Amino acid sequence: SSMPQFLLLAFADRRELQLLHFWLFLAISLAALLANGLILSAVACDHHLHTPMGFFLLNLSLTDLGCICTTVPKAMHNSLHNTTTISYMGCAAQ
């Protein structure tokens, strides 16, 4: 037997709190995207940062961007649309 989807627990049962979670996730993810974008551009543009430390900062920023861009949008979608499911393929991709 195969499972077509998984159930995700909501952060809150009340709709107002779900919308609050959506806006908080949106603000935090936008701030993280901006900060990581600034780090990426600083390391790429400044030749003094082409050192091992800059390399590891670049990798850390890319990893953080990957984590933010895969998990947070689904959580925001579930909070906004009041759904609690994720497909098996979506879960495997995350």
Side-chain angles (χ1 to χ4, degrees), residues 47-84:
H47 294 290
H48 292 83
L49 293 176
H50 291 180
T51 61
M53 182 189 69
F55 173 75
F56 288 117
L57 280 175
L58 186 76
N59 284 331
L60 183 62
S61 292
L62 287 173
T63 303
D64 193 29
L65 280 174
C67 291
I68 289 170
C69 293
T70 57
T71 57
V72 174
K74 183 61 179 175
M76 289 170 47
H77 176 268
N78 286 350
S79 293
L80 188 62
H81 294 290
N82 201 19
T83 59
T84 59

Side-chain angles (χ1 to χ4, degrees), residues 2 5 15 20 26 29 34 36 50 54 58 65 71 73 80-81 83 86:
S2 65
Q5 59 189 4
R15 184 71 181 140
L20 176 66
L26 181 64
S29 64
L34 177 67
N36 285 316
H50 291 180
L58 186 76
L65 280 174
T71 57
L80 188 62
H81 294 290
T83 59
I86 187 170

Side-chain angles (χ1 to χ4, degrees), residues 1-63:
S1 70
S2 65
M3 297 186 324
Q5 59 189 4
F6 291 110
L7 291 177
L8 298 174
L9 295 176
F11 286 110
D13 295 332
R14 294 180 48 203
R15 184 71 181 140
E16 296 84 16
L17 289 176
Q18 288 177 348
L19 292 175
L20 176 66
H21 287 140
F22 169 78
W23 290 110
L24 286 174
F25 283 157
L26 181 64
I28 291 170
S29 64
L30 287 177
L33 289 173
L34 177 67
N36 285 316
L38 289 173
I39 291 172
L40 289 174
S41 62
V43 171
C45 293
D46 190 0
H47 294 290
H48 292 83
L49 293 176
H50 291 180
T51 61
M53 182 189 69
F55 173 75
F56 288 117
L57 280 175
L58 186 76
N59 284 331
L60 183 62
S61 292
L62 287 173
T63 303

